[in-house]
Each structure stands twice: as structure tokens, then as C-alpha cells.
Amino acid sequence: QVQLVESGGGSVQSGGSLRLSCAASGPTISRRCMGWLRQAPGKKREVVSVIDTAGRITYADSVKDRFTISQDSAESTLYLQMNSLKPEDTATYYCAAAGLCVNLQTRSAYWGQGTQVIVSS
């Protein structure tokens, strides 16, 4: 069973930075693809960034050049460095894992409990 525990959320002013962490455990075959998703109140869930074991990385257009996803060498911790934060980045951020990236938003994926990010103007 995969377990994901996020940390690092908080409140910052516009232009500030935060670093989210996601401690992952469980079968590596079930977390070959990992990513960060977010959901703001009243809005649809959005994929922020995804990384797979081949090192392929994708970003949502809204966060390109501001956010950076990475993993430690043991692939046990996933990070999201968020710079130049904007009020529209305010959301609950979730770490997710799946065996395949196409399944990251399906029932077969594993999710953390979420960590809140609030960016004030």
C-alpha cells in the first residue's frame, strides 16, 4: 500500500516562495509516476506537475518557469519548489502516485491528505 504524506504548505505574500514535500512509501511499481495536483475552492482539480521514473516532467502552463518538481535519488520524497507565487496559486495541494501517469487522476492512484497554500496579494 502506497502512503503519501505532504508537508510544507502555509501562507505567503505574493511573490514569495514555498517548498512542498511528499514523503512516499510502499511498492515502487505503484509510484512510477508521481505528481502534484491542486484544487481551489469552487474550482476543478488541476494537475500542476508530473514526473515519472524516466525523468519526464510536465508542468501546467500556469506554473511553468515558476514551479519546479523534483525527487530525491531514492525516489522516496517528491518536492515542489514554488517561486513567484501568485494569489491564484492559492489551493490545497495534493501529492499523487500511480503506476502509470495516465492513471494519476483515476481511482487506481494514491493520494496524500493535502496541504494548503495561501498566497495573499
Side-chain angles (χ1 to χ4, degrees):
Q1 184 80 355
V2 172
Q3 290 189 323
L4 305 169
V5 180
E6 302 102 332
S7 61
S11 297
V12 294
Q13 289 192 326
S14 182
S17 298
L18 283 173
R19 189 193 198 199
L20 305 183
S21 299
C22 172
S25 60
T28 54
I29 194 172
S30 299
R31 43 188 178 93
R32 287 178 176 170
C33 180
M34 295 191 69
W36 292 96
L37 295 86
R38 67 186 181 186
Q39 187 163 23
K43 294 190 176 181
K44 290 180 62 176
R45 186 172 58 201
E46 174 187 25
V47 176
V48 176
S49 183
V50 175
I51 185 169
D52 67 15
T53 51
R56 288 181 289 252
I57 293 174
T58 60
Y59 293 101
D61 288 342
S62 58
V63 306
K64 277 181 183 176
D65 300 323
R66 299 189 298 121
F67 290 11
T68 303
I69 192 171
S70 62
Q71 283 180 302
D72 65 357
S73 58
E75 297 182 353
S76 61
T77 306
L78 182 71
Y79 302 100
L80 185 69
Q81 178 66 44
M82 305 186 295
N83 298 329
S84 302
L85 283 161
K86 304 175 181 180
E88 51 262 44
D89 294 318
T90 295
T92 299
Y93 285 70
Y94 298 92
C95 174
L100 297 172
C101 288
V102 293
N103 293 332
L104 202 60
Q105 293 196 79
T106 69
R107 292 176 181 265
S108 62
Y110 298 90
W111 289 73
Q113 81 285 356
T115 186
Q116 192 168 28
V117 172
I118 299 172
V119 185
S120 57
S121 57

mmCIF file of all heavy atoms in Angstrom, residues 29-68:
data_model
loop_
_atom_site.group_PDB
_atom_site.id
_atom_site.type_symbol
_atom_site.label_atom_id
_atom_site.label_comp_id
_atom_site.label_asym_id
_atom_site.label_seq_id
_atom_site.Cartn_x
_atom_site.Cartn_y
_atom_site.Cartn_z
ATOM 1 N N ILE A 29 6.531 0.039 -7.747
ATOM 2 C CA ILE A 29 5.812 -0.187 -9.002
ATOM 3 C C ILE A 29 4.526 0.624 -9.045
ATOM 4 O O ILE A 29 4.037 0.970 -10.118
ATOM 5 C CB ILE A 29 5.522 -1.692 -9.192
ATOM 6 C CG1 ILE A 29 5.082 -1.972 -10.626
ATOM 7 C CG2 ILE A 29 4.463 -2.170 -8.203
ATOM 8 C CD1 ILE A 29 4.962 -3.442 -10.957
ATOM 9 N N SER A 30 3.996 0.957 -7.888
ATOM 10 C CA SER A 30 2.751 1.728 -7.814
ATOM 11 C C SER A 30 2.984 3.225 -7.765
ATOM 12 O O SER A 30 2.027 3.986 -7.684
ATOM 13 C CB SER A 30 1.960 1.298 -6.568
ATOM 14 O OG SER A 30 1.614 -0.073 -6.641
ATOM 15 N N ARG A 31 4.220 3.641 -7.816
ATOM 16 C CA ARG A 31 4.511 5.077 -7.815
ATOM 17 C C ARG A 31 5.593 5.415 -8.817
ATOM 18 O O ARG A 31 6.458 6.248 -8.561
ATOM 19 C CB ARG A 31 4.858 5.570 -6.410
ATOM 20 C CG ARG A 31 5.772 4.706 -5.595
ATOM 21 C CD ARG A 31 5.861 5.221 -4.160
ATOM 22 N NE ARG A 31 6.693 4.399 -3.320
ATOM 23 C CZ ARG A 31 7.979 4.604 -3.101
ATOM 24 N NH1 ARG A 31 8.582 5.637 -3.666
ATOM 25 N NH2 ARG A 31 8.679 3.800 -2.326
ATOM 26 N N ARG A 32 5.496 4.759 -9.966
ATOM 27 C CA ARG A 32 6.413 5.079 -11.062
ATOM 28 C C ARG A 32 6.141 6.468 -11.617
ATOM 29 O O ARG A 32 7.005 7.075 -12.233
ATOM 30 C CB ARG A 32 6.275 4.040 -12.175
ATOM 31 C CG ARG A 32 6.871 2.691 -11.834
ATOM 32 C CD ARG A 32 6.653 1.708 -12.947
ATOM 33 N NE ARG A 32 7.301 0.429 -12.682
ATOM 34 C CZ ARG A 32 7.104 -0.654 -13.406
ATOM 35 N NH1 ARG A 32 6.275 -0.624 -14.434
ATOM 36 N NH2 ARG A 32 7.732 -1.769 -13.109
ATOM 37 N N CYS A 33 4.932 6.930 -11.412
ATOM 38 C CA CYS A 33 4.574 8.277 -11.812
ATOM 39 C C CYS A 33 4.087 9.005 -10.573
ATOM 40 O O CYS A 33 3.247 8.484 -9.830
ATOM 41 C CB CYS A 33 3.482 8.263 -12.877
ATOM 42 S SG CYS A 33 2.987 9.908 -13.418
ATOM 43 N N MET A 34 4.626 10.185 -10.347
ATOM 44 C CA MET A 34 4.193 10.975 -9.200
ATOM 45 C C MET A 34 3.965 12.409 -9.640
ATOM 46 O O MET A 34 4.559 12.883 -10.616
ATOM 47 C CB MET A 34 5.233 10.922 -8.078
ATOM 48 C CG MET A 34 5.397 9.531 -7.488
ATOM 49 S SD MET A 34 6.369 9.507 -5.972
ATOM 50 C CE MET A 34 5.252 10.339 -4.844
ATOM 51 N N GLY A 35 3.103 13.058 -8.915
ATOM 52 C CA GLY A 35 2.813 14.422 -9.312
ATOM 53 C C GLY A 35 2.152 15.227 -8.217
ATOM 54 O O GLY A 35 1.812 14.704 -7.154
ATOM 55 N N TRP A 36 2.009 16.472 -8.505
ATOM 56 C CA TRP A 36 1.299 17.410 -7.640
ATOM 57 C C TRP A 36 0.054 17.911 -8.364
ATOM 58 O O TRP A 36 0.117 18.282 -9.533
ATOM 59 C CB TRP A 36 2.190 18.607 -7.296
ATOM 60 C CG TRP A 36 3.346 18.260 -6.420
ATOM 61 C CD1 TRP A 36 4.622 17.981 -6.804
ATOM 62 C CD2 TRP A 36 3.329 18.140 -4.988
ATOM 63 N NE1 TRP A 36 5.401 17.690 -5.719
ATOM 64 C CE2 TRP A 36 4.637 17.795 -4.588
ATOM 65 C CE3 TRP A 36 2.348 18.304 -4.009
ATOM 66 C CZ2 TRP A 36 4.984 17.602 -3.252
ATOM 67 C CZ3 TRP A 36 2.694 18.117 -2.683
ATOM 68 C CH2 TRP A 36 3.996 17.770 -2.315
ATOM 69 N N LEU A 37 -1.039 17.889 -7.672
ATOM 70 C CA LEU A 37 -2.291 18.419 -8.167
ATOM 71 C C LEU A 37 -2.792 19.427 -7.150
ATOM 72 O O LEU A 37 -2.394 19.398 -5.986
ATOM 73 C CB LEU A 37 -3.317 17.303 -8.378
ATOM 74 C CG LEU A 37 -2.963 16.289 -9.464
ATOM 75 C CD1 LEU A 37 -2.087 15.154 -8.935
ATOM 76 C CD2 LEU A 37 -4.229 15.741 -10.114
ATOM 77 N N ARG A 38 -3.662 20.306 -7.574
ATOM 78 C CA ARG A 38 -4.202 21.277 -6.644
ATOM 79 C C ARG A 38 -5.673 21.527 -6.928
ATOM 80 O O ARG A 38 -6.143 21.323 -8.051
ATOM 81 C CB ARG A 38 -3.436 22.599 -6.711
ATOM 82 C CG ARG A 38 -3.589 23.371 -8.027
ATOM 83 C CD ARG A 38 -2.681 24.591 -8.037
ATOM 84 N NE ARG A 38 -2.824 25.364 -9.266
ATOM 85 C CZ ARG A 38 -2.070 26.406 -9.594
ATOM 86 N NH1 ARG A 38 -1.101 26.815 -8.747
ATOM 87 N NH2 ARG A 38 -2.263 27.053 -10.720
ATOM 88 N N GLN A 39 -6.363 21.967 -5.912
ATOM 89 C CA GLN A 39 -7.763 22.308 -6.072
ATOM 90 C C GLN A 39 -8.089 23.508 -5.203
ATOM 91 O O GLN A 39 -7.869 23.480 -3.980
ATOM 92 C CB GLN A 39 -8.676 21.139 -5.707
ATOM 93 C CG GLN A 39 -10.138 21.402 -6.032
ATOM 94 C CD GLN A 39 -10.958 20.135 -6.070
ATOM 95 O OE1 GLN A 39 -10.608 19.123 -5.473
ATOM 96 N NE2 GLN A 39 -12.071 20.185 -6.786
ATOM 97 N N ALA A 40 -8.561 24.533 -5.849
ATOM 98 C CA ALA A 40 -9.001 25.730 -5.143
ATOM 99 C C ALA A 40 -10.494 25.629 -4.894
ATOM 100 O O ALA A 40 -11.207 24.943 -5.636
ATOM 101 C CB ALA A 40 -8.676 26.962 -5.981
ATOM 102 N N PRO A 41 -10.991 26.297 -3.878
ATOM 103 C CA PRO A 41 -12.425 26.249 -3.588
ATOM 104 C C PRO A 41 -13.271 26.655 -4.796
ATOM 105 O O PRO A 41 -13.011 27.696 -5.421
ATOM 106 C CB PRO A 41 -12.586 27.256 -2.454
ATOM 107 C CG PRO A 41 -11.255 27.286 -1.787
ATOM 108 C CD PRO A 41 -10.258 27.097 -2.895
ATOM 109 N N GLY A 42 -14.219 25.829 -5.152
ATOM 110 C CA GLY A 42 -15.098 26.134 -6.253
ATOM 111 C C GLY A 42 -14.518 25.913 -7.633
ATOM 112 O O GLY A 42 -15.157 26.233 -8.638
ATOM 113 N N LYS A 43 -13.308 25.375 -7.678
ATOM 114 C CA LYS A 43 -12.659 25.156 -8.978
ATOM 115 C C LYS A 43 -12.353 23.685 -9.195
ATOM 116 O O LYS A 43 -12.297 22.901 -8.245
ATOM 117 C CB LYS A 43 -11.373 25.972 -9.069
ATOM 118 C CG LYS A 43 -11.602 27.480 -9.078
ATOM 119 C CD LYS A 43 -10.318 28.223 -9.408
ATOM 120 C CE LYS A 43 -10.561 29.711 -9.510
ATOM 121 N NZ LYS A 43 -9.325 30.451 -9.853
ATOM 122 N N LYS A 44 -12.139 23.336 -10.449
ATOM 123 C CA LYS A 44 -11.788 21.955 -10.778
ATOM 124 C C LYS A 44 -10.361 21.647 -10.341
ATOM 125 O O LYS A 44 -9.512 22.530 -10.271
ATOM 126 C CB LYS A 44 -11.922 21.727 -12.286
ATOM 127 C CG LYS A 44 -13.337 21.716 -12.809
ATOM 128 C CD LYS A 44 -13.372 21.474 -14.301
ATOM 129 C CE LYS A 44 -12.801 20.127 -14.664
ATOM 130 N NZ LYS A 44 -12.923 19.831 -16.109
ATOM 131 N N ARG A 45 -10.133 20.385 -10.045
ATOM 132 C CA ARG A 45 -8.785 19.946 -9.710
ATOM 133 C C ARG A 45 -7.871 20.112 -10.916
ATOM 134 O O ARG A 45 -8.270 19.854 -12.052
ATOM 135 C CB ARG A 45 -8.826 18.489 -9.272
ATOM 136 C CG ARG A 45 -7.525 17.937 -8.768
ATOM 137 C CD ARG A 45 -7.752 16.560 -8.184
ATOM 138 N NE ARG A 45 -8.322 15.656 -9.175
ATOM 139 C CZ ARG A 45 -8.971 14.550 -8.855
ATOM 140 N NH1 ARG A 45 -9.147 14.230 -7.589
ATOM 141 N NH2 ARG A 45 -9.445 13.769 -9.802
ATOM 142 N N GLU A 46 -6.662 20.540 -10.679
ATOM 143 C CA GLU A 46 -5.722 20.833 -11.763
ATOM 144 C C GLU A 46 -4.414 20.082 -11.523
ATOM 145 O O GLU A 46 -3.888 20.069 -10.402
ATOM 146 C CB GLU A 46 -5.445 22.344 -11.796
ATOM 147 C CG GLU A 46 -4.380 22.784 -12.775
ATOM 148 C CD GLU A 46 -4.020 24.257 -12.647
ATOM 149 O OE1 GLU A 46 -4.210 24.835 -11.565
ATOM 150 O OE2 GLU A 46 -3.523 24.821 -13.632
ATOM 151 N N VAL A 47 -3.903 19.484 -12.578
ATOM 152 C CA VAL A 47 -2.587 18.854 -12.487
ATOM 153 C C VAL A 47 -1.536 19.953 -12.573
ATOM 154 O O VAL A 47 -1.491 20.710 -13.544
ATOM 155 C CB VAL A 47 -2.377 17.826 -13.617
ATOM 156 C CG1 VAL A 47 -0.959 17.260 -13.541
ATOM 157 C CG2 VAL A 47 -3.403 16.709 -13.517
ATOM 158 N N VAL A 48 -0.708 20.054 -11.571
ATOM 159 C CA VAL A 48 0.312 21.106 -11.526
ATOM 160 C C VAL A 48 1.595 20.641 -12.200
ATOM 161 O O VAL A 48 2.148 21.330 -13.050
ATOM 162 C CB VAL A 48 0.603 21.498 -10.067
ATOM 163 C CG1 VAL A 48 1.740 22.518 -10.001
ATOM 164 C CG2 VAL A 48 -0.663 22.043 -9.404
ATOM 165 N N SER A 49 2.061 19.467 -11.815
ATOM 166 C CA SER A 49 3.306 18.958 -12.378
ATOM 167 C C SER A 49 3.392 17.458 -12.140
ATOM 168 O O SER A 49 2.896 16.951 -11.140
ATOM 169 C CB SER A 49 4.504 19.654 -11.739
ATOM 170 O OG SER A 49 5.717 19.228 -12.331
ATOM 171 N N VAL A 50 4.032 16.779 -13.085
ATOM 172 C CA VAL A 50 4.154 15.328 -13.022
ATOM 173 C C VAL A 50 5.580 14.928 -13.371
ATOM 174 O O VAL A 50 6.205 15.547 -14.241
ATOM 175 C CB VAL A 50 3.166 14.652 -13.989
ATOM 176 C CG1 VAL A 50 3.383 13.145 -14.020
ATOM 177 C CG2 VAL A 50 1.733 14.972 -13.596
ATOM 178 N N ILE A 51 6.078 13.893 -12.711
ATOM 179 C CA ILE A 51 7.390 13.345 -13.030
ATOM 180 C C ILE A 51 7.284 11.835 -13.017
ATOM 181 O O ILE A 51 6.601 11.254 -12.170
ATOM 182 C CB ILE A 51 8.458 13.841 -12.021
ATOM 183 C CG1 ILE A 51 9.858 13.358 -12.424
ATOM 184 C CG2 ILE A 51 8.128 13.402 -10.597
ATOM 185 C CD1 ILE A 51 10.975 14.025 -11.617
ATOM 186 N N ASP A 52 7.961 11.169 -13.972
ATOM 187 C CA ASP A 52 7.951 9.714 -13.966
ATOM 188 C C ASP A 52 9.364 9.181 -13.767
ATOM 189 O O ASP A 52 10.333 9.946 -13.705
ATOM 190 C CB ASP A 52 7.293 9.157 -15.228
ATOM 191 C CG ASP A 52 8.075 9.432 -16.496
ATOM 192 O OD1 ASP A 52 9.261 9.809 -16.407
ATOM 193 O OD2 ASP A 52 7.505 9.279 -17.589
ATOM 194 N N THR A 53 9.497 7.871 -13.678
ATOM 195 C CA THR A 53 10.794 7.268 -13.379
ATOM 196 C C THR A 53 11.793 7.449 -14.503
ATOM 197 O O THR A 53 12.993 7.304 -14.298
ATOM 198 C CB THR A 53 10.645 5.774 -13.069
ATOM 199 O OG1 THR A 53 9.904 5.153 -14.111
ATOM 200 C CG2 THR A 53 9.925 5.566 -11.749
ATOM 201 N N ALA A 54 11.304 7.772 -15.700
ATOM 202 C CA ALA A 54 12.215 8.050 -16.819
ATOM 203 C C ALA A 54 12.707 9.484 -16.778
ATOM 204 O O ALA A 54 13.492 9.897 -17.637
ATOM 205 C CB ALA A 54 11.508 7.780 -18.144
ATOM 206 N N GLY A 55 12.216 10.241 -15.803
ATOM 207 C CA GLY A 55 12.638 11.630 -15.673
ATOM 208 C C GLY A 55 11.844 12.615 -16.512
ATOM 209 O O GLY A 55 12.194 13.788 -16.599
ATOM 210 N N ARG A 56 10.793 12.114 -17.130
ATOM 211 C CA ARG A 56 9.958 13.032 -17.938
ATOM 212 C C ARG A 56 9.138 13.896 -16.977
ATOM 213 O O ARG A 56 8.541 13.411 -16.033
ATOM 214 C CB ARG A 56 9.027 12.227 -18.848
ATOM 215 C CG ARG A 56 9.753 11.552 -19.998
ATOM 216 C CD ARG A 56 8.783 10.799 -20.869
ATOM 217 N NE ARG A 56 8.272 9.609 -20.197
ATOM 218 C CZ ARG A 56 8.606 8.374 -20.527
ATOM 219 N NH1 ARG A 56 9.469 8.166 -21.503
ATOM 220 N NH2 ARG A 56 8.077 7.354 -19.879
ATOM 221 N N ILE A 57 9.112 15.183 -17.277
ATOM 222 C CA ILE A 57 8.445 16.159 -16.414
ATOM 223 C C ILE A 57 7.494 17.002 -17.251
ATOM 224 O O ILE A 57 7.826 17.411 -18.369
ATOM 225 C CB ILE A 57 9.472 17.070 -15.718
ATOM 226 C CG1 ILE A 57 10.312 16.261 -14.718
ATOM 227 C CG2 ILE A 57 8.789 18.232 -15.028
ATOM 228 C CD1 ILE A 57 11.442 17.057 -14.084
ATOM 229 N N THR A 58 6.332 17.252 -16.696
ATOM 230 C CA THR A 58 5.386 18.165 -17.324
ATOM 231 C C THR A 58 4.908 19.173 -16.276
ATOM 232 O O THR A 58 4.885 18.885 -15.078
ATOM 233 C CB THR A 58 4.175 17.426 -17.911
ATOM 234 O OG1 THR A 58 3.506 16.725 -16.863
ATOM 235 C CG2 THR A 58 4.601 16.454 -18.999
ATOM 236 N N TYR A 59 4.562 20.346 -16.772
ATOM 237 C CA TYR A 59 4.031 21.412 -15.917
ATOM 238 C C TYR A 59 2.770 21.981 -16.543
ATOM 239 O O TYR A 59 2.655 22.065 -17.769
ATOM 240 C CB TYR A 59 5.041 22.558 -15.765
ATOM 241 C CG TYR A 59 6.294 22.205 -15.006
ATOM 242 C CD1 TYR A 59 7.481 21.935 -15.679
ATOM 243 C CD2 TYR A 59 6.299 22.160 -13.616
ATOM 244 C CE1 TYR A 59 8.640 21.617 -14.994
ATOM 245 C CE2 TYR A 59 7.454 21.840 -12.920
ATOM 246 C CZ TYR A 59 8.613 21.566 -13.610
ATOM 247 O OH TYR A 59 9.755 21.247 -12.925
ATOM 248 N N ALA A 60 1.866 22.421 -15.707
ATOM 249 C CA ALA A 60 0.736 23.193 -16.202
ATOM 250 C C ALA A 60 1.270 24.525 -16.715
ATOM 251 O O ALA A 60 2.241 25.072 -16.170
ATOM 252 C CB ALA A 60 -0.267 23.424 -15.071
ATOM 253 N N ASP A 61 0.641 25.040 -17.746
ATOM 254 C CA ASP A 61 1.100 26.319 -18.307
ATOM 255 C C ASP A 61 1.115 27.418 -17.257
ATOM 256 O O ASP A 61 1.967 28.316 -17.285
ATOM 257 C CB ASP A 61 0.199 26.729 -19.471
ATOM 258 C CG ASP A 61 0.421 25.867 -20.705
ATOM 259 O OD1 ASP A 61 1.469 25.195 -20.792
ATOM 260 O OD2 ASP A 61 -0.471 25.867 -21.579
ATOM 261 N N SER A 62 0.178 27.336 -16.319
ATOM 262 C CA SER A 62 0.035 28.393 -15.325
ATOM 263 C C SER A 62 1.198 28.451 -14.334
ATOM 264 O O SER A 62 1.361 29.450 -13.636
ATOM 265 C CB SER A 62 -1.275 28.212 -14.557
ATOM 266 O OG SER A 62 -1.307 26.934 -13.938
ATOM 267 N N VAL A 63 2.011 27.379 -14.269
ATOM 268 C CA VAL A 63 3.098 27.366 -13.293
ATOM 269 C C VAL A 63 4.476 27.239 -13.935
ATOM 270 O O VAL A 63 5.495 27.253 -13.237
ATOM 271 C CB VAL A 63 2.913 26.231 -12.250
ATOM 272 C CG1 VAL A 63 1.541 26.327 -11.598
ATOM 273 C CG2 VAL A 63 3.133 24.862 -12.871
ATOM 274 N N LYS A 64 4.523 27.105 -15.243
ATOM 275 C CA LYS A 64 5.817 26.978 -15.934
ATOM 276 C C LYS A 64 6.713 28.153 -15.608
ATOM 277 O O LYS A 64 6.270 29.295 -15.522
ATOM 278 C CB LYS A 64 5.588 26.890 -17.446
ATOM 279 C CG LYS A 64 5.245 25.504 -17.941
ATOM 280 C CD LYS A 64 5.047 25.487 -19.451
ATOM 281 C CE LYS A 64 4.646 24.110 -19.923
ATOM 282 N NZ LYS A 64 4.353 24.083 -21.381
ATOM 283 N N ASP A 65 7.965 27.858 -15.427
ATOM 284 C CA ASP A 65 9.009 28.848 -15.125
ATOM 285 C C ASP A 65 8.906 29.404 -13.719
ATOM 286 O O ASP A 65 9.709 30.274 -13.331
ATOM 287 C CB ASP A 65 8.985 30.005 -16.128
ATOM 288 C CG ASP A 65 9.212 29.548 -17.551
ATOM 289 O OD1 ASP A 65 10.027 28.628 -17.747
ATOM 290 O OD2 ASP A 65 8.561 30.095 -18.454
ATOM 291 N N ARG A 66 7.941 28.927 -12.932
ATOM 292 C CA ARG A 66 7.834 29.354 -11.539
ATOM 293 C C ARG A 66 7.962 28.187 -10.562
ATOM 294 O O ARG A 66 8.508 28.339 -9.474
ATOM 295 C CB ARG A 66 6.495 30.066 -11.289
ATOM 296 C CG ARG A 66 6.289 31.320 -12.109
ATOM 297 C CD ARG A 66 5.055 32.084 -11.652
ATOM 298 N NE ARG A 66 3.819 31.307 -11.819
ATOM 299 C CZ ARG A 66 3.001 30.993 -10.819
ATOM 300 N NH1 ARG A 66 3.269 31.391 -9.589
ATOM 301 N NH2 ARG A 66 1.890 30.299 -11.059
ATOM 302 N N PHE A 67 7.454 27.035 -10.959
ATOM 303 C CA PHE A 67 7.469 25.852 -10.102
ATOM 304 C C PHE A 67 8.470 24.839 -10.657
ATOM 305 O O PHE A 67 8.641 24.728 -11.875
ATOM 306 C CB PHE A 67 6.094 25.199 -10.050
ATOM 307 C CG PHE A 67 5.040 25.974 -9.318
ATOM 308 C CD1 PHE A 67 5.230 27.289 -8.915
ATOM 309 C CD2 PHE A 67 3.820 25.362 -9.007
ATOM 310 C CE1 PHE A 67 4.245 27.986 -8.250
ATOM 311 C CE2 PHE A 67 2.833 26.042 -8.336
ATOM 312 C CZ PHE A 67 3.040 27.364 -7.965
ATOM 313 N N THR A 68 9.075 24.073 -9.738
ATOM 314 C CA THR A 68 9.998 23.017 -10.143
ATOM 315 C C THR A 68 9.708 21.757 -9.342
ATOM 316 O O THR A 68 9.695 21.793 -8.097
ATOM 317 C CB THR A 68 11.457 23.428 -9.901
ATOM 318 O OG1 THR A 68 11.744 24.640 -10.609
ATOM 319 C CG2 THR A 68 12.403 22.342 -10.390
#
